[in-house]
Amino acid sequence: MLPVRLRTAALSAAASILVSTSLVSPAYALHDGNVSLPVASFVALGVGTAPARASATDRLSHLPAHVVVPNAQQRFVAAPIGGLVTELRAGIGDTVQQGQPLARVVSAELLSLQREIAQAAAERERAQRALARDQQLLAEGLVAESRVESSRASDRQAQAALAEKRALLALSGIRPRSSGEFELLAPISGVVLSQDVRPGQRVDAATPLMQIAQLDPLELQIYVPITAAPRLESGAAVRVPAAGASGRVVAVGRAVGDAQTISVRALLDSGLGALGPGQHVEAEIDARPAPGGERNWVVPSAALVRLGSAGTQPAVFVRRGERYVAVAALPIGESGRDLVVQAALSEGEEVVATGASQLKAALAAAPEAPAAAAAPR
């Protein structure tokens, strides 16, 4: 390692001679090879290189993702009325069938509802008897027809009231038992993912008790750099190499997150044995070829620098002859400790792996260093 004074002097000397005469414009294209530095000026700084390795040209790899359950395949079991949980008949990880009892609850509200149903049933029965009696009297000519119509209207009202009470009980999704006790039933077949109550716990109406989900297929939420969005399309193949799972892209999001990524939804229907909801994985997506014929390359993570006054222009320095040339490099993923970038490189070209930040600093210190660079299109 050079002393600080010597390193500073070397950088200053390099900066005074580093920019070719083609760099007089404030806007330049990195991939045109206009931005370059003489190799001889940086020998004392220990700049090191490593060969660029070709990556799959039609694949975005090492994308962060997490596994979720598709919305249509999960249900939350909740108590429609308040009460005391007396028994749970399934727990986390259990496989249940639709209609299977999951819990028993004792509820004073159910007693009130059952009482209202009994009262409505009694009122309906009374109305039916009154209607039958009036119809008989009408046939004997002892009452007016208007009285029969009134009795018929009362019977219809009683019938509607009873149907309403019974519908409320049916819509609650419970199976009433004796003494104000009811059972909560599984709305779908699947696996219990969560259990939010314990026996002996009192719950209010609409309190979630369990979550049930069907785990085949599973959904994958993949986070892709916004710069790679034009290469994505619905139906593209998706894989989770570590788990051996595969599927297809079903939707490409439009909203851009804080990390400048978009969310891509994929449906995995094969090799799901090693995956579970909430699991974080790395995914890869088959994508359309990059525009301009530029390929994907694996380069050291330290090789990537960001040029321009705002630091928004990713690039790598490549040794071409006796100069280090700045080449636009669009990061699209990771490969272990390395980066996968889209760039106009050639197989085996030497990319600056150590000292790239020093080249960047020297470029910024140049007397007429341009302020902006174009990223690959």
Side-chain angles (χ1 to χ4, degrees):
M1 180 66 68
L2 294 175
V4 174
R5 181 177 300 175
L6 181 57
R7 289 166 58 85
T8 302
L11 279 174
S12 298
S16 64
I17 60 173
L18 58 85
V19 182
S20 65
T21 57
S22 62
L23 296 182
V24 295
S25 171
Y28 58 94
L30 290 180
H31 55 281
D32 288 342
N34 292 340
V35 184
S36 64
L37 310 172
V39 172
S41 300
F42 298 91
V43 173
L45 298 181
V47 174
T49 62
R53 308 190 311 275
S55 180
T57 58
D58 58 350
R59 184 177 302 168
L60 303 179
S61 305
H62 301 281
L63 301 171
H66 75 277
V67 182
V68 298
V69 178
N71 293 332
Q73 295 175 205
Q74 58 182 323
R75 299 288 188 277
F76 287 88
V77 180
I81 53 179
L84 178 69
V85 179
T86 60
E87 181 182 355
L88 291 177
R89 309 187 68 176
I92 295 176
D94 287 344
T95 299
V96 298
Q97 301 299 319
Q98 185 176 12
Q100 176 180 330
L102 300 177
R104 287 185 177 179
V105 181
V106 174
S107 172
E109 295 181 38
L110 177 59
L111 285 175
S112 298
L113 181 56
Q114 290 175 323
R115 182 177 65 252
E116 292 175 4
I117 292 176
Q119 291 173 347
E123 179 62 24
R124 172 72 198 288
E125 184 178 353
R126 185 200 65 77
Q128 284 180 314
R129 288 198 303 267
L131 176 59
R133 183 181 63 253
D134 289 344
Q135 286 175 331
Q136 180 62 35
L137 292 175
L138 176 62
E140 296 174 0
L142 299 178
V143 296
E145 186 174 353
S146 59
R147 177 169 172 174
V148 175
E149 291 299 326
S150 177
S151 297
R152 184 175 288 111
S154 297
D155 177 60
R156 289 173 178 169
Q157 290 177 354
Q159 180 183 10
L162 177 59
E164 179 184 5
K165 299 297 183 183
R166 286 175 173 171
L168 288 175
L169 187 60
L171 288 174
S172 64
I174 64 176
R175 178 186 293 170
R177 298 171 59 85
S178 60
S179 304
E181 185 180 59
F182 64 87
E183 290 181 331
L184 287 170
L185 309 179
I188 60 172
S189 298
V191 177
V192 178
L193 294 186
S194 65
Q195 173 189 318
D196 300 317
V197 295
R198 298 290 180 185
Q201 181 176 338
R202 187 170 296 278
V203 295
D204 297 325
T207 299
L209 275 64
M210 296 180 182
Q211 180 188 5
I212 300 176
Q214 298 171 343
L215 303 183
D216 188 3
L218 287 172
E219 188 172 295
L220 196 64
Q221 296 281 352
I222 311 171
Y223 302 101
V224 180
I226 183 60
T227 49
R231 301 178 58 195
L232 302 176
E233 61 184 353
S234 295
V238 173
R239 288 170 292 275
V240 181
S246 62
R248 296 283 174 181
V249 172
V250 295
V252 178
R254 300 294 298 275
V256 181
D258 293 339
Q260 294 302 292
T261 59
I262 59 172
S263 179
V264 176
R265 291 173 46 223
L267 207 60
L268 302 177
D269 53 14
S270 176
L272 306 181
L275 297 178
Q279 184 175 348
H280 291 269
V281 297
E282 285 190 347
E284 58 185 29
I285 305 176
D286 287 353
R288 291 191 293 264
E294 291 173 338
R295 299 179 58 187
N296 294 346
W297 301 91
V298 178
V299 300
S301 297
L304 189 72
V305 294
R306 295 189 179 274
L307 305 180
S309 58
T312 58
Q313 302 154 4
V316 295
F317 287 101
V318 183
R319 179 167 182 170
R320 291 176 177 170
E322 295 303 314
R323 303 192 72 83
Y324 292 124
V325 180
V327 177
L330 179 65
I332 59 174
E334 298 178 352
S335 178
R337 297 182 178 180
D338 297 327
L339 286 178
V340 180
V341 299
Q342 174 191 325
L345 301 176
S346 299
E347 182 72 39
E349 271 198 308
E350 294 295 321
V351 176
V352 173
T354 57
S357 59
Q358 298 170 8
L359 299 183
K360 174 184 175 180
L363 183 64
E368 296 182 352
R377 298 179 180 177

